[in-house]
Amino acid sequence: MAKPSDAVRIQDTKVALSTASVYPESTATAFEIAARLGYDGVEVMVWTDPVSQDIEALRRLSDYHRMPILAVHAPCLLITQRVWSTDPWVKLQRARAAAEKLGASTVVVHPPFRWQRQYARDFVDGIWRMANETDVRFAVENMYPWRYRDREMQAYAPDWDVTKDDYRHFTIDLSHAATSRTDTLDMIDRMSDRLGHVHLADGKGSAKDEHLVPGRGNQPCAEVLERLAHTGFDGHVVIEVNTRRAMSGAEREADLAEALAFTRLHLAQTVSPVPGGPATRTDRR
């Protein structure tokens, strides 16, 4: 147990709000909520909301709310197949340009769908080429098999488990890990020092991608955050939760405030002074 004389060192990892976390509210609303609740910045999910696709509109929102844009999520979803072109490489080029212009350090990208055969065939080498052309991180996100009753479909290529391929940076999404029924801590071990970005959400292992508020599922959300703090993680932690069932704006904000408080709590390191030596971390539980 931590003693009264122990110090608490707060990890300087920035905690951002994904604009997807306020859906069906707008991108603009996400900036407003992030500022009001005290987030460090936002991750912009580029989707069908025109504001999410407009660099100048995003810059104005960032300036007005004093909310830095820390990451850009490229339009990789089924509903965004026509956003920023139908060519997936053009989408990534535009995401990189947006990140560079907005001062974001990371572009989040999903592996291709299996039916995007040429894109999938060239994906690993192509991501390396793009990563070599910019200081922006291309952080490839773990996904999951699609399940229906007792059937399973491998929807992503080269693989939903991105650790099976060679990328410079990874995004770990804990809700996706729950859906794929993967050991999250083991996946983080495989990502090692190439873990560059975190989507924090919970899950219970359902076939649906749940994106629960951290602490409401069975994922090791607290352990992941404590590990990040202990290892000096230099990326961002992004709250990406599903608030679609919120009955009011106040309920949605309460969920997002809870997620932020949970994250900040577990990013804090408890350290004990050692006579004649540096402080050491102790177990807070």
Side-chain angles (χ1 to χ4, degrees), residues 161-178:
D161 182 353
V162 293
T163 65
K164 292 182 179 180
D165 292 288
D166 180 28
Y167 301 108
R168 179 173 290 173
H169 291 108
F170 295 109
T171 296
I172 181 78
D173 185 303
L174 277 70
S175 178
H176 294 176

Side-chain angles (χ1 to χ4, degrees), residues 229-241:
H230 184 56
T231 57
F233 173 68
D234 67 350
H236 305 314
V237 174
V238 177
I239 303 300
E240 190 183 75
V241 296

Side-chain angles (χ1 to χ4, degrees), residues 43-103:
E43 173 178 301
V44 173
M45 170 70 80
V46 180
W47 68 298
T48 55
D49 180 351
V51 171
S52 73
Q53 306 170 31
D54 186 329
I55 293 174
E56 290 309 313
L58 292 169
R59 194 195 311 277
R60 289 193 296 272
L61 283 169
S62 177
D63 291 345
Y64 179 79
H65 292 288
R66 298 182 180 179
M67 273 285 106
I69 296 171
L70 302 180
V72 173
H73 195 310
C76 305
L77 305 175
L78 285 172
I79 64 169
T80 60
Q81 290 187 83
R82 295 186 177 278
V83 172
W84 280 359
S85 168
T86 56
D87 183 330
W89 291 115
V90 173
K91 292 175 185 283
L92 295 191
Q93 290 164 1
R94 292 190 64 172
R96 179 189 66 191
E100 291 171 342
K101 291 175 181 177
L102 295 168

Side-chain angles (χ1 to χ4, degrees), residues 98-199:
E100 291 171 342
K101 291 175 181 177
L102 295 168
S105 64
T106 303
V107 168
V108 179
V109 57
H110 293 178
F113 293 112
R114 292 188 69 86
W115 55 85
Q116 295 175 301
R117 294 181 181 178
Q118 186 60 49
Y119 179 45
R121 189 177 301 118
D122 298 336
F123 185 69
V124 177
D125 289 341
I127 290 293
W128 271 102
R129 284 194 299 271
M130 295 192 74
N132 287 333
E133 295 170 353
T134 180
D135 291 331
V136 173
R137 292 178 172 182
F138 278 86
V140 186
E141 183 173 4
N142 62 302
M143 297 305 291
Y144 47 85
W146 291 1
R147 294 190 180 94
Y148 179 71
R149 295 182 179 174
D150 59 346
R151 299 181 64 183
E152 182 173 290
M153 173 185 173
Q154 301 301 323
Y156 299 96
D159 205 287
W160 61 263
D161 182 353
V162 293
T163 65
K164 292 182 179 180
D165 292 288
D166 180 28
Y167 301 108
R168 179 173 290 173
H169 291 108
F170 295 109
T171 296
I172 181 78
D173 185 303
L174 277 70
S175 178
H176 294 176
T179 304
S180 65
R181 298 165 190 170
T182 297
D183 184 317
T184 300
L185 295 175
D186 182 60
M187 178 170 276
I188 288 174
D189 285 340
R190 297 198 302 275
M191 290 179 174
S192 187
D193 60 359
R194 291 183 290 170
L195 175 61
H197 199 67
V198 175
H199 280 170

Side-chain angles (χ1 to χ4, degrees), residues 202-221:
D202 218 329
K204 297 180 180 179
S206 165
K208 296 181 179 179
D209 184 18
E210 297 168 290
H211 284 274
L212 304 176
V213 170
R216 298 185 185 177
N218 58 23
Q219 285 299 288
C221 297

